[in-house]
Amino acid sequence: MKIIITGSLGNVAKPLAQQLISEGHDITVISSNKNKKNEIESLGAKAAIGSITDLHFLTETFEGADSVFLMTPPIISEKNIIENTVSAGNNYAEAVRKTAVKRVVMLSSVGAESPVENGPIKAIHHIENLYSELENVSVTFLRAGNFYINFFNDIPLIKTAGIIGGNYSPEVEVPLVHPGDIAKAAAEELVKPSSEQKIRYVVTDYRKAGDFAKVLGSAIGKPDLPWVEFTDPQAYEGMVQAGLPEEMAKLYEEMGRGIRTGVIQQAFTQAGSPVSEGTKLEDFADEFKEKFSSLS
């Protein structure tokens, strides 16, 4: 099959490309970074170098594809993050429409059913709606949990203050997944014949925030590492001080609040909190330990 992968050689796209290439598929990887061309080609894929904001480029690249993997990370900028991200998703939708691609697999998120109180996920909500309106296209929405690797962002706080936390309590349960497990699910869906639109949750663990501190802390020799619940203003100020643009920090503050109130987890729990095989928190702890040790 001829399959297009967006996301350059990121945490999901690279293992996805590697798996599909190993299965004998004709893979093209889209990247905006021309320096990635040689690395992409060394995997055995074709490199399409260009911007996802360029509809002409996307249309040329999608031409003749059997299926496409679409991911639209938040476009981090000073202003209009949601609008800019949705605009990129609209370009994907237009390129699919113009080239009559029949199979789309979208990297979505737990919480994407809500248009409010989910921070950057609200862009994914609007993009899901765009893809739902595509005619004669089967779309699988991979609603993924919180990436384990996001815990790497907490390492400076652990090292400097001896705590880990967020603006939700240690009793709140959070869906989790490793990017590698998302890649496996995406690979299955991209080659699977389908004539429907469906939601597939990609969550391999569902744990209380307090377990994050306990399991990850134990892995790095800090078994008493506490989970601290910050206020919303504290969470926002901490992210701004860490260098996030104010608008993005506000969106992440809102996402934490959505986790605290259960807005983000609501549809997931209503679906029976489906947890699949794959990386558990304890499995990821070894990876976290290695990263923690490597950072001064």
Side-chain angles (χ1 to χ4, degrees):
M1 293 178 66
K2 182 179 180 180
I3 301 172
I4 311 299
I5 296 175
T6 61
S8 189
L9 292 178
N11 294 303
V12 174
K14 183 175 181 178
L16 173 58
Q18 290 172 319
Q19 179 169 339
L20 291 171
I21 290 166
S22 72
E23 294 172 0
H25 298 287
D26 179 355
I27 304 302
T28 297
V29 176
I30 291 177
S31 178
S32 61
N33 185 351
K34 63 182 180 181
N35 294 326
K36 294 289 186 182
K37 183 176 185 293
N38 289 340
E39 187 178 355
I40 291 169
E41 291 176 347
S42 71
L43 295 178
K46 299 181 180 71
I49 306 300
S51 172
I52 63 173
T53 63
D54 182 344
L55 178 56
H56 178 71
F57 161 73
L58 289 178
T59 302
E60 281 192 334
T61 305
F62 285 11
E63 194 67 51
D66 297 300
S67 59
V68 294
F69 173 71
L70 302 180
M71 60 180 296
T72 315
I75 296 179
I76 298 178
S77 55
E78 293 294 332
K79 298 291 182 182
N80 303 318
I81 292 169
I82 298 299
E83 293 84 354
N84 292 339
T85 304
V86 173
S87 178
N90 187 61
N91 278 350
Y92 283 153
E94 281 298 312
V96 168
R97 191 176 288 113
K98 285 176 177 290
T99 55
V101 172
K102 298 300 183 185
R103 184 81 174 103
V104 169
V105 176
M106 174 194 175
L107 177 56
S108 183
S109 172
V110 169
E113 75 287 342
S114 176
V116 297
E117 285 298 290
N118 55 3
I121 300 171
K122 66 166 58 71
I124 302 301
H125 166 83
H126 293 300
I127 294 170
E128 275 200 6
N129 288 340
L130 288 172
Y131 297 168
S132 294
E133 295 169 358
L134 291 169
E135 296 182 358
N136 302 314
V137 181
S138 66
V139 185
T140 297
F141 301 105
L142 294 179
R143 288 192 179 170
N146 186 49
F147 284 22
Y148 283 115
I149 58 174
N150 290 339
F151 288 119
F152 293 154
N153 298 327
D154 296 307
I155 291 176
L157 182 64
I158 297 172
K159 285 184 175 285
T160 57
I163 61 173
I164 186 174
N167 54 331
Y168 46 93
S169 85
E171 294 303 310
V172 170
E173 289 184 295
V174 182
L176 302 166
V177 71
H178 195 283
D181 293 313
I182 298 172
K184 291 176 184 176
E188 291 174 6
E189 294 294 339
L190 284 163
V191 301
K192 184 186 298 181
S194 176
S195 58
E196 61 180 355
Q197 294 193 359
K198 70 174 185 178
I199 294 168
R200 174 175 172 176
Y201 284 101
V202 190
V203 174
T204 58
D205 212 347
Y206 191 35
R207 301 290 284 273
K208 291 182 177 180
D211 289 346
F212 306 161
K214 184 185 305 180
V215 174
L216 300 180
S218 295
I220 59 173
K222 298 178 183 292
D224 297 322
L225 181 71
W227 177 272
V228 176
E229 181 179 0
F230 306 128
T231 65
D232 291 344
Q234 286 172 337
Y236 169 76
E237 289 298 330
M239 287 182 282
V240 170
Q241 290 175 13
L244 272 184
E246 291 183 3
E247 186 175 309
M248 180 58 81
K250 206 66 182 174
L251 287 170
Y252 279 125
E253 174 201 328
E254 181 185 294
M255 185 169 69
R257 186 167 63 247
I259 292 173
R260 183 176 74 233
T261 61
V263 169
I264 288 178
Q265 305 96 307
Q266 184 176 5
F268 174 73
T269 55
Q270 288 175 346
S273 305
V275 173
S276 57
E277 292 183 0
T279 308
K280 306 304 179 186
L281 181 60
E282 287 77 7
D283 301 322
F284 172 72
D286 290 334
E287 191 174 337
F288 185 82
K289 176 182 178 181
E290 183 177 345
K291 187 73 170 182
F292 187 89
S293 300
S294 70
L295 297 177
S296 59

